[in-house]
Amino acid sequence: MTRRKKIYEGKAKILYEGPEPGTLIQYFKDDATAFNAQKKAVLEGKGVINNRISEYVMTRLNAIGVHNHFIKRLNLREQLIKEVEIIPLEVVCRNVAAGSLSTRLGIPEGQVLPRSIIEFYYKRDYLNDPLVTEEHITAFNWAATQEIDDILATTLRVNDFLSGMFGAIGITLVDFKIEFGRVWEGDFSRVILADEISPDSCRLWDSTTNEKLDKDRFRRDLGNVIESYTEVARRLGIMNEMPTVIQGGKG
Ligand code: UDP
């Protein structure tokens, strides 16, 4: 028996070598971290739910032509993905003020923004993922101008699609974080959506009560984290495929 090769281990996921060149296996852990990993916990079943929610969202995005790294789900915790060269940016898109935007600019949480705002953060834990501008991104060659244009256009498309998708099930998409990677085709590269889209990376509020159904339940010690992630999956209509341990809302 040979053990498959671990390529990278992050806070919530592990990447393993895939079965074919140009592929990887993305494994979703139950680990939850916040505040640059100063706060940690294991939330039983989180990885299974996020694997399934991310599969659902990426598949829907693929169907409307938003190319992404997802190929297929392999099992409860793993999905086969395209290997990409990750662009070291966290791209945040906001519709409603919350989190760091509210803290930084003093805009009350819950205030609807006059328009969607996209921000870039430099993905470096040891620097606490600082906010950066397009000037920094091009000057330091993290991404080219054309790539930034593609990222901005795709992010707005993802925002429009996800806002509608969640809106239809009574959930407000407050904000989300996505990441992009390069895939090479000969001498040319193309930027595609990568990483995950799940309640770990989005702020999702019940449209009627404004109850939080996302990672803020963990960050802010609100309890019922798994129950809330499960509620998102239930409203998306994908709960029936979950193992009974998670269907029961065990967290
Ligand atoms: N986010 C994320 N990973 C990060 C930082 C932020 O997925 O490392 C998501 C977060 O869940 C929220 C959005 O990006 O949906 C905006 O986060 P914000 O800048 O408000 O930071 P936070 O308040 O989470 O520190």
Side-chain angles (χ1 to χ4, degrees):
M1 287 275 275
T2 51
R3 223 180 133 68
R4 63 184 173 178
K5 198 168 147 202
K6 195 190 279 188
I7 305 286
Y8 174 80
E9 177 154 6
K11 285 172 279 192
K13 298 188 293 294
I14 306 174
L15 294 177
Y16 295 100
E17 201 170 58
E20 286 158 33
T23 66
L24 294 175
I25 292 167
Q26 180 166 249
Y27 176 99
F28 287 75
K29 300 193 276 187
D30 283 342
D31 298 14
T33 64
F35 313 116
N36 206 1
Q38 287 171 47
K39 176 170 178 162
K40 288 186 201 170
V42 174
L43 303 172
E44 200 184 322
K46 178 177 80 84
V48 175
I49 302 176
N50 281 354
N51 185 28
R52 182 66 187 99
I53 292 178
S54 201
E55 172 197 15
Y56 179 78
V57 174
M58 292 295 190
T59 305
R60 298 273 320 254
L61 286 170
N62 225 337
I64 60 155
V66 174
H67 300 293
N68 61 69
H69 74 162
F70 180 81
I71 302 173
K72 67 172 180 182
R73 185 162 62 87
L74 299 172
N75 54 50
L76 285 178
R77 290 186 180 274
E78 295 177 327
Q79 46 184 247
L80 185 66
I81 57 169
K82 284 183 197 142
E83 183 170 24
V84 303
E85 191 181 295
I86 280 286
I87 293 173
L89 296 173
E90 298 200 337
V91 183
V92 169
C93 181
R94 303 175 183 274
N95 302 305
V96 177
S100 71
L101 180 93
S102 294
T103 318
R104 199 180 326 113
L105 304 181
I107 298 173
E109 197 158 87
Q111 187 168 306
V112 177
L113 299 172
R115 62 179 178 86
S116 303
I117 295 175
I118 298 180
E119 300 168 335
F120 297 107
Y121 295 84
Y122 182 41
K123 200 172 140 62
R124 288 290 179 267
D125 281 343
Y126 63 90
L127 299 173
N128 247 324
D129 298 344
L131 181 69
V132 293
T133 69
E134 292 186 32
E135 286 281 288
H136 301 107
I137 298 169
T138 49
F140 298 118
N141 269 322
W142 299 328
T145 306
Q146 179 61 55
E147 291 176 328
I148 298 175
D149 288 349
D150 292 348
I151 288 172
L152 288 170
T154 304
T155 302
L156 285 178
R157 246 190 118 198
V158 170
N159 186 43
D160 285 347
F161 182 77
L162 293 188
S163 293
M165 187 188 83
F166 284 120
I169 54 170
I171 293 175
T172 304
L173 179 63
V174 170
D175 57 32
F176 62 92
K177 184 267 303 184
I178 47 180
E179 296 183 23
F180 291 86
R182 283 181 201 101
V183 281
W184 290 87
E185 285 151 12
D187 287 344
F188 296 93
S189 71
R190 185 157 73 94
V191 164
I192 63 169
L193 183 61
D195 193 46
E196 76 179 293
I197 298 182
S198 74
D200 265 6
S201 58
C202 303
R203 282 198 171 93
L204 304 168
W205 294 358
D206 180 278
S207 308
T208 314
T209 63
N210 274 350
E211 188 192 359
K212 297 178 198 327
L213 301 171
D214 56 62
K215 195 168 153 184
D216 273 348
R217 297 208 73 85
F218 169 68
R219 292 191 191 97
R220 302 179 188 190
D221 290 322
L222 300 174
N224 293 340
V225 186
I226 290 298
E227 287 79 357
S228 301
Y229 284 37
T230 303
E231 176 61 13
V232 174
R234 193 190 64 74
R235 292 197 202 177
L236 288 171
I238 55 178
M239 224 19 237
N240 51 348
E241 300 151 43
M242 296 287 178
T244 33
V245 55
I246 292 163
Q247 284 195 29
K250 189 173 181 298

